[in-house]
Amino acid sequence: MFNLLGSISWSTVFFLLLMLSICSAFIILIPKVPVNYVHVHIGIIALSPIVAFMALVFNNENVIIGPWHFDSLSWLWSTFVLTIGLIVQRYSVHYLLGDRSYRKYFALLTATTVVDSLAWLSDDLRLLLIGWGLTLLGLTLLIGLRKEWKVARHASKTSGRYFVISWVILLVAIVWIEQVTGHWQLSQVLRQDSLSQFNAWEKTGINLLLLVSTIIPAAQWPFQRWLLDSVVAPTPISAIMHAGIVNAGSMMLTRFAPLFDGNSVQVVLLVLSSVSVLVGTGIMLVQVDYKRQLVGSTIAQMGFMLIECALGAYLAAITHAVLHGLFKSTLFLQAGSAAGQHEPITYKVQPSSYVWMMIGGILGLLLGVAFWLTSPTEGYQLVSALILGWSVVLAWIQLIAFGTGHIGRITGIILFIGAATVFQMVHITFERLLQNALPVGIQQSISMGILLLVILLVASVMGTWFIRKNSKISLTIYLWLIRLGEPKRNLVESHPQYLTQLLSRGGNVH
């Protein structure tokens, strides 16, 4: 009873603050309101993520109140989405000052993050569908914010078409679920008696629909075009995409996890995500445009996130989505600093370095094996062990083996221990916060992990062999990746011609 009252109190305050944020967004749109009001607006929207974070820390029980589902996962996601929205809006106060769409930008960004957080707080599938649809609509409008620029209009139309397809597919899946179970509440749908009503083909069909509706907003191959085209939008908009929009696939699949358990669609997801990892990495490596490099990296990282979902590692997927969202948003907001010239870093390998490199290799091997032996029959544990071992080796080589003298290596060891400590603290924190909100007992067998490793290793070996042979196949792959990452003709303009047209008419550019 105490937990229920606590959840009602936190949720009431949270909803009131979200309504206040929306009201503030409408006030910004009033022309008579001074532009400086945006500073007041920033203070108002800062309140809701604070309350969401406090609810996450002090009252993270699993409680369903009406059409809303309050647990640590929903509070964490709301905190994450609204915090990135706050950071991006604070950054944009001066970054976009003078832009003709300045007021509209803040209003749209506030509305998009609010409905995004509400979508994943809902237990009613109809509310989830409406909230997610409004989120995609808001992102589409943000991408086409500079509607006078035909390049932005084309990018917005491309994204809109992809999002409409994704939303309609999700609509079909949700209606199908209701027809089978007779419930709109997700908590009721995922009960064992409701799940038993699905026969094999219905479950597979619904899972395929959910899969497609998930990988389109996640910009997975072959639906990555919309994210590549969206780089024409202002950089803060590229940053806000990582606030529970591009990376919302982890939430979708986590919420529907019991429906996915043991279904063959997970193999399809594993294969498509693995291909996306390779394609995204390839685009990142061949592109010279910094924002397109970041987009290629996002495609690959979202692939890894969905691989984690396919292997049943939902804790890893949620952690990955949140940390990657914070990290990649920061990189986008710092995109301007990439214009500086940097000299390549060269390492002079000393005889003693080889000894330290061997020590790092042995340490990585031992830690990887020890980690795998904790759960040797789970598919994701094998993948995690290899990633952990390889990461330890790389970190050891960069920080310690290539250190200059005793001081350099001592500093490297301190940094290595510090990084390992932070990693462990983050892992423990997320595990404790989400232990009661994530599906349990859903782990894929070792065969799924082996399948993933075979796909990635074969592709890596073949790619390396083609490159070293300098064959026509390697050249073809290279050109294909270049073409895949390059914009279409209607998304290229040497100079924004709408500015010239405005000046010729004597209009105000801003």
Side-chain angles (χ1 to χ4, degrees):
M1 185 65 180
F2 176 78
N3 291 331
L4 178 61
L5 293 175
S7 297
I8 293 174
S9 301
W10 286 114
S11 60
T12 301
V13 175
F14 181 69
F15 284 142
L16 288 175
L17 291 175
L18 289 183
M19 292 175 60
L20 183 61
S21 298
I22 293 295
C23 292
S24 179
F26 280 112
I27 292 174
I28 289 179
L29 293 174
I30 301 174
K32 293 184 178 180
V33 175
V35 174
N36 286 336
Y37 175 78
V38 71
H39 295 282
V40 178
H41 175 71
I42 297 299
I44 291 174
I45 65 172
L47 298 175
S48 51
I50 293 174
V51 171
F53 177 75
M54 294 177 67
L56 171 66
V57 174
F58 298 111
N59 192 277
N60 59 358
E61 295 294 325
N62 193 339
V63 178
I64 296 174
I65 303 174
W68 306 105
H69 186 184
F70 299 101
D71 61 357
S72 55
L73 179 57
S74 58
W75 284 125
L76 172 66
W77 203 256
S78 295
T79 304
F80 163 62
V81 169
L82 296 172
T83 299
I84 291 187
L86 171 65
I87 293 171
V88 171
Q89 292 200 48
R90 179 63 186 87
Y91 175 90
S92 303
V93 170
H94 298 293
Y95 184 88
L96 291 176
L97 186 62
D99 192 284
R100 296 183 67 187
S101 304
Y102 191 71
R103 295 174 181 269
K104 183 180 178 182
Y105 166 80
F106 284 97
L108 266 176
L109 194 52
T110 300
T112 301
T113 52
V114 167
V115 295
D116 189 15
S117 63
L118 289 176
W120 305 112
L121 276 167
S122 59
D123 185 52
D124 192 306
L125 292 174
R126 292 165 294 188
L127 285 178
L128 188 154
L129 186 67
I130 294 171
W132 183 234
L134 291 175
T135 301
L136 296 178
L137 175 61
L139 180 57
T140 302
L141 296 175
L142 284 169
I143 293 173
L145 191 65
R146 291 170 176 166
K147 59 183 179 180
E148 305 88 354
W149 190 20
K150 68 175 183 179
V151 170
R153 291 200 306 270
H154 285 307
S156 180
K157 289 179 182 178
T158 300
S159 301
R161 285 194 293 267
Y162 277 90
F163 293 158
V164 166
I165 293 171
S166 172
W167 187 84
V168 170
I169 292 173
L170 181 61
L171 170 64
V172 174
I174 287 177
V175 171
W176 194 351
I177 289 173
E178 192 278 334
Q179 292 298 310
V180 174
T181 64
H183 298 295
W184 289 110
Q185 286 69 34
L186 184 59
S187 56
Q188 296 292 327
V189 170
L190 299 181
R191 289 173 51 183
Q192 194 58 44
D193 57 338
S194 297
L195 292 175
S196 63
Q197 297 180 43
F198 293 95
N199 56 42
W201 75 270
E202 287 176 329
K203 190 175 182 181
T204 300
I206 291 173
N207 283 337
L208 282 173
L209 292 174
L210 291 173
L211 170 62
V212 176
S213 69
T214 297
I215 64 176
I216 292 177
Q220 295 296 279
W221 183 84
F223 305 107
Q224 74 285 341
R225 171 51 55 186
W226 77 265
L227 188 59
L228 289 165
D229 290 348
S230 70
V231 298
V232 302
T235 300
I237 295 175
S238 298
I240 202 62
M241 290 179 189
H242 293 80
I245 301 175
V246 176
N247 47 5
S250 58
M251 276 294 291
M252 181 76 75
L253 297 180
T254 299
R255 285 304 194 196
F256 286 93
L259 194 60
F260 272 82
D261 185 23
N263 194 270
S264 57
V265 175
Q266 288 178 294
V267 178
V268 178
L269 176 60
L270 183 67
V271 173
L272 288 177
S273 301
S274 300
V275 173
S276 299
V277 169
L278 298 171
V279 170
T281 303
I283 292 174
M284 178 186 67
L285 293 175
V286 302
Q287 278 294 320
V288 294
D289 183 279
Y290 183 65
K291 286 183 73 174
R292 289 185 179 274
Q293 289 177 4
L294 292 179
V295 167
S297 171
T298 292
I299 294 170
Q301 290 295 326
M302 293 304 97
F304 275 118
M305 181 195 71
L306 294 179
I307 285 173
E308 291 160 351
C309 292
L311 295 174
Y314 294 103
L315 173 61
I318 295 296
T319 305
H320 188 170
V322 172
L323 297 183
H324 176 264
L326 293 169
F327 174 68
K328 190 58 65 69
S329 297
T330 303
L331 290 183
F332 271 111
L333 296 181
Q334 293 180 338
S337 63
Q341 296 293 326
H342 300 283
E343 294 294 329
I345 299 174
T346 57
Y347 296 101
K348 185 179 292 184
V349 181
Q350 302 292 337
S352 60
S353 300
Y354 292 108
V355 177
W356 286 98
M357 289 169 67
M358 290 179 61
I359 295 173
I362 294 171
L363 179 62
L365 177 63
L366 292 176
L367 288 176
V369 171
F371 187 79
W372 177 52
L373 290 177
T374 57
S375 300
T377 60
E378 295 178 359
Y380 185 70
Q381 202 74 2
L382 174 61
V383 180
S384 298
L386 290 173
I387 294 175
L388 176 63
W390 184 249
S391 300
V392 167
V393 172
L394 288 179
W396 185 276
I397 290 174
Q398 296 293 326
L399 294 175
I400 301 171
F402 288 154
T404 304
H406 295 296
I407 299 298
R409 290 203 170 97
I410 291 173
T411 304
I413 291 174
I414 293 173
L415 291 174
F416 182 86
I417 295 174
T421 303
V422 171
F423 168 81
Q424 188 65 18
M425 289 175 61
V426 169
H427 177 76
I428 292 174
T429 300
F430 273 85
E431 187 174 29
R432 288 180 177 176
L433 286 175
L434 301 176
Q435 61 181 347
N436 296 324
L438 296 177
V440 295
I442 302 178
Q443 288 286 343
Q444 297 302 310
S445 65
I446 191 70
S447 59
M448 289 282 281
I450 294 174
L451 175 61
L452 169 63
L453 295 177
V454 168
I455 294 173
L456 297 180
L457 287 176
V458 169
S460 300
V461 170
M462 289 178 64
T464 304
W465 186 82
F466 287 139
I467 292 172
R468 289 188 175 180
K469 287 292 184 180
N470 198 22
S471 64
K472 291 183 179 179
I473 297 179
S474 63
L475 182 60
T476 302
I477 294 174
Y478 175 80
L479 294 176
W480 177 71
L481 289 171
I482 288 286
R483 184 176 180 182
L484 197 64
E486 287 295 302
K488 295 180 180 179
R489 290 186 178 182
N490 59 3
L491 290 169
V492 177
E493 197 171 72
S494 58
H495 180 74
Q497 296 180 12
Y498 74 91
L499 297 179
T500 305
Q501 295 170 359
L502 283 172
L503 291 173
S504 66
R505 294 196 300 265
N508 185 357
V509 173
H510 298 297

